[in-house]
Amino acid sequence: MLYLLVCTLAPVNARERLVEAAQDLLWERGYVGTSPRAIQDRAGAGQGSMYHHFTGKADLARTALQRTADRERAGAEALLSGDGTALERLTGYLRRERQVLRGCPVGRHAQDPDLVADPELRAPLETTFAWLRARLAEVVAEGQEAGELRADVDPAAVAAALVATVQGGYVLARAAGRPEPFEEATEGAVALLAALAR
Amino acid sequence: MLYLLVCTLAPVNARERLVEAAQDLLWERGYVGTSPRAIQDRAGAGQGSMYHHFTGKADLARTALQRTADRERAGAEALLSGDGTALERLTGYLRRERQVLRGCPVGRHAQDPDLVADPELRAPLETTFAWLRARLAEVVAEGQEAGELRADVDPAAVAAALVATVQGGYVLARAAGRPEPFEEATEGAVALLAALAR
């Protein structure tokens, strides 16, 4: 018990501070807009510490992106495997509270040409969206099997459209400088899903 | 006639070359990833020429973005005001041929924190998406009035979901490094729209 307490109170080490600083800055500024120096400054870590723990900016960014992707995936899974009918869980995914104007901490990086050109940096994006689409397709198929949703649509295509609506909702909100377009887009998807249920 | 021929053959002036180079580079690299020097190099224009025609990078970028936005809007309008039922035109918008892996030349900029923080630079994005959503909502309402689409959904919400699906489709395709996720997302939206029609 005392051991646990000591561990809890121990200062977060430099590696951990670097990863968390990179997560924040990547979300806020993107990969091309984030310098190694800015990460070190925010982490309160020196250049030597950064290059002790990581081979460089790409290595640190990959670690940070993977951690962000894992967090987002866990949040979506909790929602999709929770209580409720298939339609309720899909609606819950669309209406999940998000920091709309900050953009998606995973999807925002798809616009960065350097990041998508590097297979290792792109991997957390690719695997997260592949997983999310497959998971939503399972829930759509569950709803079809339960007779809750019409059976004459392709679950994978509907799932892709739902994930895309959320990602595009961020684009519309940030383009407008206000969160409402995100909500209008996701409510439109909720209405289209509801039409599948009737 | 000779006059027209001479005009056609006249070399494009430096201002025009700068705008076109900025349009290309902004699409490819984004605002933060595009330096004034890179634009000058691609345009074959000197720094003096750039600062003669524009007050700086932001001024040139705003002009280039507005031109790109006008072109995209004209393309969408030609499609949405063309022949066909409302459902056919909405489907045509979703299936319109696009350079998927290059991303949307307008929407990709919504992820750039410096661009969206500057109201003048953000304006071409905001006005283009506001116009597009309103125009698609008109077509959805036309389809409802004609008895082609169910009348119990909000045209503005459906329109927002369709625009978001296209914008999110780019995100999914670039995240995967291949165009298919864009097509799956837009085909999912086509299937959801078709369900509204039956």
Side-chain angles (χ1 to χ4, degrees):
Chain A
M1 193 62 173
L2 180 64
Y3 173 74
L4 277 173
L5 186 68
V6 170
C7 285
T8 308
L9 294 178
V12 178
N13 67 34
R15 185 181 191 283
E16 186 59 23
R17 290 201 312 275
L18 283 161
V19 172
E20 287 175 11
Q23 285 185 280
D24 286 349
L25 281 165
L26 286 170
W27 191 356
E28 199 177 294
R29 304 281 321 158
Y31 184 68
V32 67
T34 297
S35 67
R37 177 64 188 272
I39 301 173
Q40 292 155 24
D41 286 353
R42 185 166 300 197
Q47 184 170 326
S49 174
M50 174 168 160
Y51 289 94
H52 171 70
H53 292 291
F54 301 96
T55 59
K57 174 181 160 182
D59 184 27
L60 171 52
R62 199 199 50 71
T63 304
L65 276 175
Q66 188 60 58
R67 178 141 353 146
T68 298
D70 290 344
R71 183 192 68 204
E72 294 299 306
R73 177 173 166 158
E77 177 55 27
L79 212 148
L80 293 169
S81 64
D83 292 334
T85 65
L87 184 62
E88 284 165 356
R89 283 176 285 142
L90 295 170
T91 301
Y93 164 74
L94 289 166
R95 288 188 176 151
R96 180 179 170 202
E97 218 178 310
R98 290 173 171 98
Q99 297 180 61
V100 171
L101 287 181
R102 289 189 75 182
C104 174
V106 180
R108 61 121 46 239
H109 299 292
Q111 301 302 347
D112 190 307
D114 294 339
L115 190 143
V116 297
D118 180 330
E120 292 214 356
L121 277 170
R122 187 165 54 73
L125 278 66
E126 182 168 15
T127 55
T128 303
F129 286 121
W131 171 81
L132 183 57
R133 289 167 52 200
R135 188 71 188 87
L136 282 169
E138 282 173 7
V139 181
V140 173
E142 272 179 51
Q144 289 177 323
E145 282 153 29
E148 200 191 331
L149 296 172
R150 300 166 61 128
D152 59 351
V153 290
D154 175 13
V158 172
L162 299 183
V163 178
T165 303
V166 168
Q167 291 299 314
Y170 286 113
V171 172
L172 299 185
R174 285 176 61 95
R178 56 195 181 86
E180 288 79 6
F182 180 95
E183 288 149 27
E184 285 162 31
T186 50
E187 285 308 307
V190 167
L192 289 168
L193 261 186
L196 265 195
R198 290 174 298 193
Chain B
M1 194 61 173
L2 180 63
Y3 173 74
L4 278 174
L5 185 67
V6 169
C7 287
T8 309
L9 295 177
V12 178
N13 67 36
R15 184 179 191 284
E16 186 59 25
R17 291 201 312 274
L18 284 160
V19 172
E20 288 175 10
Q23 285 185 279
D24 286 350
L25 282 165
L26 287 170
W27 192 356
E28 197 178 296
R29 304 281 322 156
Y31 184 68
V32 67
T34 297
S35 66
R37 178 60 189 272
I39 302 173
Q40 293 154 22
D41 286 353
R42 185 165 300 196
Q47 185 170 324
S49 173
M50 174 168 158
Y51 289 94
H52 171 69
H53 292 292
F54 301 97
T55 58
K57 174 181 160 182
D59 184 27
L60 170 52
R62 198 201 49 72
T63 304
L65 277 174
Q66 189 58 59
R67 175 129 13 136
T68 298
D70 290 344
R71 182 191 67 205
E72 294 300 305
R73 177 174 165 158
E77 176 56 28
L79 212 147
L80 293 170
S81 64
D83 292 335
T85 65
L87 183 62
E88 283 166 356
R89 282 176 285 144
L90 295 170
T91 302
Y93 164 74
L94 290 165
R95 289 189 175 149
R96 180 179 169 202
E97 219 178 310
R98 290 173 172 96
Q99 297 181 60
V100 171
L101 287 181
R102 290 188 75 183
C104 174
V106 179
R108 60 111 61 230
H109 299 292
Q111 301 302 349
D112 190 308
D114 294 338
L115 190 144
V116 298
D118 179 330
E120 292 216 355
L121 277 170
R122 188 165 54 74
L125 278 66
E126 181 168 18
T127 54
T128 302
F129 286 121
W131 171 81
L132 183 57
R133 289 167 52 204
R135 189 71 188 88
L136 282 168
E138 283 174 6
V139 180
V140 172
E142 273 177 52
Q144 290 177 323
E145 282 153 29
E148 201 192 331
L149 296 171
R150 301 167 60 127
D152 60 351
V153 291
D154 175 10
V158 172
L162 299 183
V163 177
T165 303
V166 169
Q167 290 299 316
Y170 285 113
V171 172
L172 299 185
R174 285 176 61 95
R178 57 194 180 85
E180 287 79 5
F182 180 95
E183 288 150 26
E184 285 162 31
T186 50
E187 285 308 308
V190 168
L192 289 168
L193 261 187
L196 266 197
R198 289 174 300 195

